[in-house]
Amino acid sequence: MPKPPIVPKNVIHALDERNLLGYLDEVCRAHHVTRIEVCSIDRSRSIVTARHELWWRLRQLKLSYVEIARLFGRNHTSVLHGVTRRDEQILAQPRAA
């Protein structure tokens, strides 16, 4: 049976039900992208970077990879990859003196 398509409005609704829209909005403002873009399947670098940051933030709240994946209609390994990429970006940033 094929997977249903990802519908950004459904993702946003699921985040709202769990009181997580504030995190989405913070990421959107920081990256100058929209809620719809972050919750879509768009693979533009700026949108993917924002999505990975959101997933990383949700992991900091102790949501499991599976929980995050279900919210976004993704595979848990996709979320794992995104969170790992965000960790790598954080480590690569120069530290303030």
Side-chain angles (χ1 to χ4, degrees), residues 2 4-6 8 15-16 19-20 22 26 34 36 38 42 46 50 56 63 73-76 83 85-86 88 91 94:
I6 297 170
L15 291 169
D16 188 27
N19 296 317
L20 299 171
E26 287 176 15
T34 67
I36 296 289
V38 172
D42 191 317
S46 61
W56 181 87
L63 271 70
R74 305 292 177 103
N75 185 293
H76 76 281
V83 171
R85 289 291 304 261
R86 180 64 183 148
E88 291 168 356
L91 291 173

Side-chain angles (χ1 to χ4, degrees), residues 4-73:
I6 297 170
V7 179
K9 288 182 181 182
N10 293 348
V11 176
I12 293 167
H13 179 72
L15 291 169
D16 188 27
E17 284 181 336
R18 298 195 59 177
N19 296 317
L20 299 171
L21 279 184
Y23 297 96
L24 174 60
D25 291 338
E26 287 176 15
V27 168
C28 288
R29 277 192 298 276
H31 292 272
H32 307 288
V33 295
T34 67
R35 287 177 170 182
I36 296 289
E37 290 172 326
V38 172
C39 297
S40 73
I41 60 171
D42 191 317
R43 291 174 53 182
S44 302
R45 183 179 300 232
S46 61
I47 294 167
V48 168
T49 300
R51 186 179 303 127
H52 289 176
E53 181 177 335
L54 178 59
W55 291 350
W56 181 87
R57 289 181 182 213
L58 296 177
R59 277 294 292 160
Q60 302 309 301
L61 297 172
K62 304 299 184 207
L63 271 70
S64 72
Y65 293 111
V66 172
E67 288 174 300
I68 298 167
R70 285 184 183 144
L71 285 170
F72 284 83

